[in-house]
Amino acid sequence: LQVINSLLRMQSRFVKDEDIVAMFKDSQKRIMTIAALHEKLYNAENLKEIDVKTHIESLVRELVEGYTVKQKINLEINIESIYLGLDSLVPLGLIINEIITNTLKHAFKGNNDNSITLSLSRIENDFFKMIISDNGIGFKAEETSKNGLGQKLISIFVKQLNGTIELLEQKGTAYKIIFQEITHT
């Protein structure tokens, strides 16, 4: 994954169009999200049960710190003590990557009090609820670009988790995702 990331970085140096360069950078961030998870897995003792709280907190902080925003972002992360396997954690991490990246790109236009909240809890046996919200400018469901790569990826990853996604009505943007742990027997 590091090699792929390096190849994308090298290739993007030859591109003059800023929109295409941004697409390369988005792809690199997706790859680095997977690479970070694989690095944690390499260090984990049990690959079937990875500490979700530690992984997601690290992922969100790295995204916020690594993204070029000129404003301070307050993070509120509330994650129960949950352990998931790789089959669930990869799509979950990629969903979070897409939503947080979209938030950092679009939500905070001129705000001074910017915040992102992420909560994750078990709702029953192998079902979980995750809410990711911000206090940015928000958008209405009908304004969402269903054709955008990020939205398509989010939908694909939610389906991989046998889940549902809902845009909540509130200030800013808030997603509620109900998903199932993927287990192979």
Side-chain angles (χ1 to χ4, degrees):
L1 291 173
Q2 296 289 356
V3 170
I4 293 168
N5 188 44
S6 294
L7 289 171
L8 286 173
R9 187 178 322 112
M10 287 176 12
Q11 197 67 28
S12 70
R13 291 180 186 149
F14 298 103
V15 177
K16 303 289 185 229
D17 185 323
E18 289 301 317
D19 290 337
I20 295 173
V21 171
M23 291 169 70
F24 272 103
K25 287 182 180 180
D26 287 345
S27 294
Q28 287 175 268
K29 287 179 182 175
R30 290 177 183 115
I31 290 167
M32 293 312 296
T33 296
I34 298 169
L37 177 58
H38 281 260
E39 184 177 329
K40 285 178 180 53
L41 290 172
Y42 182 76
N43 294 321
E45 291 178 24
N46 182 352
L47 297 180
K48 293 182 181 179
E49 293 187 347
I50 301 159
D51 181 12
V52 174
K53 180 177 176 126
T54 302
H55 173 66
I56 291 177
E57 284 179 347
S58 172
L59 171 63
V60 172
R61 291 186 196 293
E62 287 172 17
L63 284 169
V64 170
E65 289 170 8
Y67 208 88
T68 309
V69 289
K70 296 177 174 105
Q71 301 151 339
K72 183 178 184 318
I73 309 291
N74 299 311
L75 294 175
E76 183 179 329
I77 302 173
N78 301 306
I79 300 173
E80 288 182 4
S81 179
I82 297 170
Y83 292 85
L84 294 174
L86 182 62
D87 291 335
S88 298
L89 206 49
V90 168
L92 184 63
L94 290 167
I95 291 167
I96 293 167
N97 179 74
E98 292 301 320
I99 292 174
I100 298 292
T101 299
N102 286 339
T103 297
L104 295 169
K105 280 184 184 176
H106 306 292
F108 304 125
K109 308 279 186 205
N111 283 356
N112 290 327
D113 184 29
N114 305 313
S115 66
I116 296 173
T117 302
L118 186 148
S119 65
L120 178 61
S121 58
R122 184 182 303 271
I123 51 177
E124 59 182 75
N125 293 337
D126 58 349
F127 283 90
F128 302 87
K129 176 175 71 172
M130 179 171 67
I131 297 178
I132 303 177
S133 63
D134 64 64
N135 68 341
I137 60 173
F139 62 87
K140 297 186 182 340
E142 61 272 9
E143 295 173 357
T144 305
S145 172
K146 299 281 187 205
N147 296 326
L149 179 60
Q151 291 298 322
K152 285 181 182 177
L153 289 173
I154 291 168
S155 294
I156 289 167
F157 299 136
V158 168
K159 285 179 185 171
Q160 283 182 4
L161 293 169
N162 299 321
T164 61
I165 185 167
E166 177 184 352
L167 186 61
L168 302 176
E169 294 285 329
Q170 68 179 54
K171 182 183 181 329
T173 302
Y175 291 98
K176 178 172 91 172
I177 300 167
I178 305 293
F179 67 94
Q180 183 177 17
E181 179 178 11
I182 305 302
T183 57
H184 295 288
T185 55

